[in-house]
């Protein structure tokens, strides 16, 4: 019967159409899942990169803090060596000991300089409260007011970070006449 054949073909076409729609739906769903997984992958990858960068930064900060603490602890020892050297150099009979001791102190300073330690330049400089600690004033006819006359205790920087301010005596300027 031709009518039955026609109905079967329309059912086949309908089934083909349904199958096609289902396949397109599943394909779209698969592409959606792929996009979702790719976005998740990119987010996880970005998070991992951020964790790596943060870990490196934290490690560098920890190394810098440790270096800063160790060098800060050495500063009073350096001061003591320099005071001892200054006193010993006043005695002529200790000249050979002073020379050897001076070489050791210079070697220590050179080594610490390689790690970034630098003395704060103070004498004859304009007072800077960021790097100087004024402990006294003196009247001076030759040095302007606010200029460092003498450095009592050297200040130190580690890179750009101030470890210890320099203790200085400032000029008060000329004595006022009464």
């Amino acid at each position: 019967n031709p009518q039955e054949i026609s109905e079967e073909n329309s059912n086949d076409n309908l089934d083909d159409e349904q199958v096609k729609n289902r396949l397109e739906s599943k394909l779209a769903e698969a592409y959606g899942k792929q996009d979702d997984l790719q976005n998740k992958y990119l987010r996880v990858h970005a998070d991992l990169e951020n964790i790596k960068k943060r870990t490196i930064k934290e490690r560098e900060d920890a190394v810098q803090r440790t270096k800063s603490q160790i060098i800060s602890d050495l500063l009073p020892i350096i001061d003591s060596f320099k005071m001892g050297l200054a006193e010993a150099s006043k005695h002529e009979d200790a000249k050979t000991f002073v020379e050897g001791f001076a070489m050791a102190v210079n070697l220590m300073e050179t080594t610490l300089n390689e790690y970034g330690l630098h003395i704060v330049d103070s004498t004859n400089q304009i007072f800077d409260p960021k790097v100087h600690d004024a402990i006294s004033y003196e009247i001076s006819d030759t040095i302007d007011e606010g200029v460092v006359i003498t450095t009592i205790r050297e200040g130190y920087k580690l890179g750009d970070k101030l470890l210890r301010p320099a203790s200085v005596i400032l000029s008060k300027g000329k004595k006022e006449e009464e």
Side-chain angles (χ1 to χ4, degrees):
N1 182 357
Q3 189 174 4
E4 287 178 9
I5 294 174
S6 173
E7 284 179 13
E8 278 182 25
N9 284 342
S10 71
N11 284 340
D12 285 346
N13 286 342
L14 185 60
D15 287 339
D16 286 344
E17 191 65 35
Q18 286 177 341
V19 169
K20 181 181 174 186
N21 286 341
R22 284 184 189 160
L23 287 175
E24 286 177 351
S25 170
K26 287 185 179 188
L27 186 61
E29 185 180 325
Y31 278 131
K33 285 182 182 179
Q34 179 190 4
D35 288 343
D36 185 47
L37 288 174
Q38 186 174 8
N39 288 336
K40 284 181 182 178
Y41 167 77
L42 291 174
R43 281 194 298 273
V44 168
H45 183 68
D47 287 345
L48 183 61
E49 287 300 314
N50 289 336
I51 289 170
K52 282 181 185 178
K53 289 176 186 174
R54 187 172 57 242
T55 302
I56 290 169
K57 174 83 169 109
E58 287 172 356
R59 190 176 325 136
E60 289 172 353
D61 289 346
V63 167
Q64 190 64 25
R65 280 192 310 272
T66 302
K67 185 169 44 169
S68 177
Q69 184 61 47
I70 290 170
I71 291 175
S72 291
D73 291 345
L74 290 174
L75 294 181
I77 298 168
I78 294 170
D79 292 339
S80 296
F81 282 157
K82 286 183 177 182
M83 286 189 304
L85 189 58
E87 281 301 312
S89 64
K90 293 177 183 176
H91 303 283
E92 188 62 37
D93 55 334
K95 185 176 182 181
T96 56
F97 295 111
V98 170
E99 288 173 0
F101 197 65
M103 287 174 34
V105 170
N106 288 337
L107 180 60
M108 183 171 51
E109 285 182 328
T110 301
T111 302
L112 291 173
N113 283 343
E114 290 173 8
Y115 283 95
L117 183 70
H118 300 286
I119 296 172
V120 173
D121 190 22
S122 299
T123 304
N124 297 323
Q125 301 293 316
I126 295 174
F127 177 75
D128 181 356
K130 294 176 188 168
V131 293
H132 298 133
D133 181 23
I135 59 171
S136 182
Y137 294 92
E138 286 183 9
I139 295 171
S140 173
D141 291 336
T142 58
I143 300 176
D144 293 338
E145 183 177 355
V147 174
V148 175
I149 294 175
T150 307
T151 302
I152 302 300
R153 186 181 73 169
E154 292 177 328
Y156 291 93
K157 283 185 172 186
L158 184 60
D160 292 335
K161 181 185 175 197
L162 182 69
L163 291 182
R164 180 177 80 185
S167 298
V168 297
I169 297 175
L170 296 180
S171 172
K172 206 173 189 180
K174 294 181 181 180
K175 183 177 182 178
E176 293 181 19
E177 294 182 24
E178 295 177 22

